[in-house]
Amino acid sequence: RFIYADRAMYKNGDKEFYEEKIFYVDSNLFKIFTYKFLEGNAETALMEPGSMVLTKSLAEKYYGKGNNAVGQSLQNNQGDIYKITGVVEDVPKNSHIIFNGLISANTLPADFANTWGMFNFFTYVLVRPNTNMKAFEKKLLPMYDKYMAPIFSEYNIKIHYGLQPITAIHLRSDMQNEPEDLGSMSYIYIFSAVALFMLLIACINYMNMATARSSRRAKEIGIRKVAGSTKSQLVTQFLSESVLITIISLFISLVAIYFLLPYFNSLSGKFISFGSLFNFTTLLILFAIVLFVGLLGGSYPAFYLAKFQPLTVLKGPLAKSSGNVVLRRILVVTQFSISMVMLICTWVVYGQLQYMKTKDLGFNKEQVLSVVANGNGDIRGKISSFQNEVRKNPAVVSVSAAQASPGGNNIDFNLFSVESKTGFVEKGIDTYGIDENYLKNLGIKLAKGRDFLGQPDTLHSILVNESMVKDLGWEEPIGKRVKFPGDTTGRYLEVVGVVKDFHVKSLYNPISPLLLRYRYNSREIQVKLGAGNVTAAVASLEKTWKTIFPELPFQYTFLDQDFNSQYAADQKRGKIFTSFSTLTIIITCLGLLGLIAFTTEQRSKEISIRKVMGAGTSSIVSLIATNFVFLVLISCLIAFPVAYYFMHKWLDVFPYKEGLKLSTFLLSALVVLVIAMVTVSFHTIKVAVSNPVKSLRSE
């Protein structure tokens, strides 16, 4: 079992730091998980109460590089002393559960470590090979009746244990509160599709250019056939050329990856090493991609060129052929459609992320500094002193204290007995404690009733949000009673006010019922700063902090950054998707540029004759461009419904969304059209302004 240890400050001499990635674990941990021990013995490291195993980084942090940590001690701010019994290599970044330190679970009180009523244990089971997992899961069902029913049955709560392979957790888990941020299999599919589209566009470019320039190889093919080459030999030759180009491209791409991978890791927040590309599975995938791209890109040109008749091509007429025009137009439409779909998706993703960052959350998160006092002794008295001193600071607008803030991890979910029309009912509700300054400090509005008045409200008064009132069907919420289940003292909590709904969690979660209790001098302090020099204000707060809490480091965050950090993973994915979309459009333009260059070259004599007959540059550009405008319009008919379908499904994940706008689709079409026209005009104008004599003097 892994059991979260609370955030605490640990110190060794004058070195003291807050640590969060610390877990209580069972002594048999190292029989299930494999970690390389640098110091100590895996068999005995966590046997005794008070024993602690550190990662290499944490050991060096407190004891320095090259020094033995085993046998040393580490003390937290609660006065608990732990003996260091082992040092292991740092946990790889792609692990499901990452820790900095492990404490023996024997250190915990027996009634905590062995209770069946807790939900914050991560439990891992090593099963024998070829175990039938469904049968094993069935054997877990009686555990509820045996161990948990005495605790939960009176509240009509039913619980069962489920199994999931560790290797499936990161991408496929649907459990809440996993120890690390989860990935998403849907994004794997999305980025795989994007990569496939990019390869497809590159293949289309190759097919377009190869068939368009078929006339340049027509005589070569005719001579080869006359000399005895068969169609299969010619097909093999052209496919081999295509695969060889792809292999050369692979080596160039590996060099590019070597230099670009650090930037990609920085953008994505991943830790992919260049060496990981050379494992067997990845090499097999790369080999498959080379064959796929080489054969797909070269297939049509190979069969198209190989079917030329030698008598026809050597006479000359086909030498001026430019290949199958209809096919090339179909391929161009495909390119435009893919580019437009990706452009629409990029803007929808960007718009949704911006919407989540700018949506009215029901509270004001700007200029709010949050600092936590994790001390022992008379910590509440010190918190009160700190708040009083901070209020004297001219840079400070207001101060409050609470057990949690919106977007934080300290929001509890408790079971309450709540008064309803049919009597008291059991209901799970989000809850945390605040003081009488909290609502005003964060700009949270009251919908009904009053705010907390101060310490007289400690025992009885509570605030609830509008969602709780609606969920319970309270017509008159003021005066409604709530109590903790199992409380036999007869003490009730009474609703004295209703706050307007505000988002205590990210916009991935709909607003749920919330109960706010009164608690003064909580450890988390919110300081609202005024406009001005934030750096100077923070420096003055740190000076006050060190006066009141000389034993605690001053570590702060800003509420807006904390709340927006919940979207960090999607922000990174959005940047990656935008980069890929840009690359896709660039690749499309490169192919289009080559195709237009050849098309204008093929029509150079026609253009020259038109000029001699009096046609202007604009009419010639219009002549060539009209075809591509038509192709872009056809692409819109394909791209719009495809993009709408996928983006509508993607937005369904969000309870709060901006929605799909017609302007996004029209603007994407306009961008693709403008890019196409600029690309077309570049070469067309070049030919149109050239001297017609150069094209016509040969005839």
Side-chain angles (χ1 to χ4, degrees), residues 33-52:
F33 291 103
T34 304
Y35 298 105
K36 183 180 178 182
F37 263 74
L38 303 177
E39 297 180 47
N41 186 334
E43 296 290 329
T44 59
L46 294 170
M47 293 293 291
E48 298 297 325
S51 55
M52 188 174 189

Side-chain angles (χ1 to χ4, degrees), residues 407-423:
N409 297 320
N410 297 325
I411 298 168
D412 295 326
F413 183 78
N414 287 344
L415 192 66
F416 291 94
S417 291
V418 185
E419 187 176 357
S420 70
K421 294 178 181 179
T422 58

Side-chain angles (χ1 to χ4, degrees), residues 599-612:
T599 301
T600 52
E601 181 185 332
Q602 289 290 96
R603 300 182 68 175
S604 59
K605 286 185 173 61
E606 174 195 345
I607 293 171
S608 296
I609 293 171
R610 288 180 180 275
K611 286 192 69 176
V612 170

Side-chain angles (χ1 to χ4, degrees), residues 332-383:
V332 169
V333 167
T334 303
Q335 283 185 310
F336 282 155
S337 299
I338 292 173
S339 299
M340 204 177 301
V341 167
M342 293 195 65
L343 192 57
I344 293 169
C345 293
T346 299
W347 277 348
V348 171
V349 170
Y350 176 79
Q352 177 61 22
L353 294 177
Q354 285 299 113
Y355 172 79
M356 291 194 297
K357 288 177 68 176
T358 57
K359 182 183 181 299
D360 181 12
L361 301 172
F363 69 94
N364 187 353
K365 64 181 187 295
E366 306 301 326
Q367 297 285 102
V368 178
L369 178 147
S370 179
V371 60
V372 179
N374 280 326
N376 54 359
D378 182 24
I379 191 66
R380 286 202 173 189
K382 290 183 177 181
I383 290 172

Side-chain angles (χ1 to χ4, degrees), residues 661-696:
K661 298 178 180 177
L662 179 61
S663 58
T664 302
F665 291 78
L666 296 178
L667 191 58
S668 298
L670 181 61
V671 168
V672 172
L673 180 62
V674 168
I675 291 173
M677 290 303 98
V678 170
T679 307
V680 169
S681 301
F682 176 78
H683 275 291
T684 307
I685 292 174
K686 185 179 176 182
V687 173
V689 299
S690 64
N691 190 340
V693 174
K694 292 181 180 179
S695 298
L696 297 175

